[in-house]
Amino acid sequence: MELLPLAFLAGILTVLSPCVLPLLPVVLAGSAAESNRRAPYIIIASLAVSVVLFTLLIKATTVLLGVPSDAWLIISGALVAFIGASLAFPRAWDWISERLKLQEASGRLSAGTASRSGTSRSVLLGFSLGPAFTSCSPTYGLILAVVLPANFTVGLSNLAAYTLGLAAVLLFVALGGRKVTKRLGWATNPQGTFRRGLGVFLILVGLLIASGQVRAVETWLIENGFLGTVSLEQSFLDSSPDHQDQLGGRGQQGVAGGPDAAVVYGPQTG
């Protein structure tokens, strides 16, 4: 359990790592595009649940064993692009909704249809990032490779602590970006150019994720020495007694290959 504080700290530091940086614009764009002030909380909460859920389904069970990692990228990218299209082309989305009788179904709910639509979109956006989530965090790698297979309860606790730290910083970033957007009057128009532009941006990001090019961006950042806080976190991890106990003699190299190395971990990696 000594790893819990380090897992939480690792989640905080992960936001500055090259593996997560490509996803930050998605969180910012999604939070700024919705009129619902709860959108940042919904997006980040959905992302956190998705990361934990997919990690457990892929690493702790055999339910999704054998599903190619590229399939998760395609699903994730398609969902992000779909959400972007609904923002960029609202009239087309209304036409599709009418054809599919979605408006009739939503009309049976209550007067808060628009709000529910935004909430559903925020949930979908946050959840769509889980399958594509990767981390350069050596602590996250240790949890996946050593702690979780050895003890499910301890592994789940550390995974939850890591995800909580990650979610806390992402929420801070999302709220900050939304606050800046709200100060720009022209950016708050739900039918304006700014919101449509965010939709187009999400479509492009979705295509990058689905095609696997987002991994190329992460690799480029790592190869060009942008390790962010990975080295700092590795030094904390190497000095942790619990880390050495978990490795059982693997030595100073740990899971990430030393303080100057960066390895990409994700639910779909081995």
Side-chain angles (χ1 to χ4, degrees), residues 96-170:
I96 293 175
S97 299
E98 183 178 355
R99 290 290 181 178
L100 296 178
K101 308 298 183 180
L102 296 180
Q103 290 181 344
E104 293 181 10
S106 62
R108 300 191 197 99
L109 297 176
S110 68
T113 303
S115 176
R116 281 185 172 82
S117 176
T119 298
S120 300
R121 190 158 44 207
S122 296
V123 170
L124 189 60
L125 179 61
F127 199 81
S128 69
L129 298 178
F133 175 79
T134 58
S135 175
C136 300
S137 167
T139 304
Y140 180 75
L142 177 66
I143 294 171
L144 290 187
V146 180
V147 183
L148 193 60
N151 189 312
F152 178 79
T153 302
V154 175
L156 179 59
S157 299
N158 284 281
L159 178 61
Y162 173 85
T163 307
L164 183 61
L166 173 67
V169 181
L170 286 178

Side-chain angles (χ1 to χ4, degrees), residues 61-114:
T61 73
T62 59
V63 174
L64 302 178
L65 188 64
V67 178
S69 59
D70 290 346
W72 298 120
L73 290 179
I74 293 173
I75 293 172
S76 179
L79 289 175
V80 172
F82 173 77
I83 294 168
S86 71
L87 292 171
F89 310 105
R91 290 184 179 178
W93 172 246
D94 290 341
W95 182 83
I96 293 175
S97 299
E98 183 178 355
R99 290 290 181 178
L100 296 178
K101 308 298 183 180
L102 296 180
Q103 290 181 344
E104 293 181 10
S106 62
R108 300 191 197 99
L109 297 176
S110 68
T113 303

Side-chain angles (χ1 to χ4, degrees), residues 150-230:
N151 189 312
F152 178 79
T153 302
V154 175
L156 179 59
S157 299
N158 284 281
L159 178 61
Y162 173 85
T163 307
L164 183 61
L166 173 67
V169 181
L170 286 178
L171 179 60
F172 178 79
V173 172
L175 290 174
R178 183 176 175 83
K179 185 176 182 180
V180 172
T181 303
K182 286 297 183 182
R183 290 184 177 180
L184 303 174
W186 50 269
T188 58
N189 183 1
Q191 300 296 328
T193 304
F194 179 76
R195 192 168 188 258
R196 292 173 181 267
L198 290 177
V200 172
F201 173 77
L202 288 178
I203 293 174
L204 295 176
V205 173
L207 294 176
L208 285 176
I209 294 175
S211 64
Q213 291 303 305
V214 68
R215 296 288 183 263
V217 174
E218 296 169 359
T219 302
W220 183 88
L221 290 172
I222 294 173
E223 290 178 347
N224 284 272
F226 189 86
L227 299 180
T229 57
V230 174

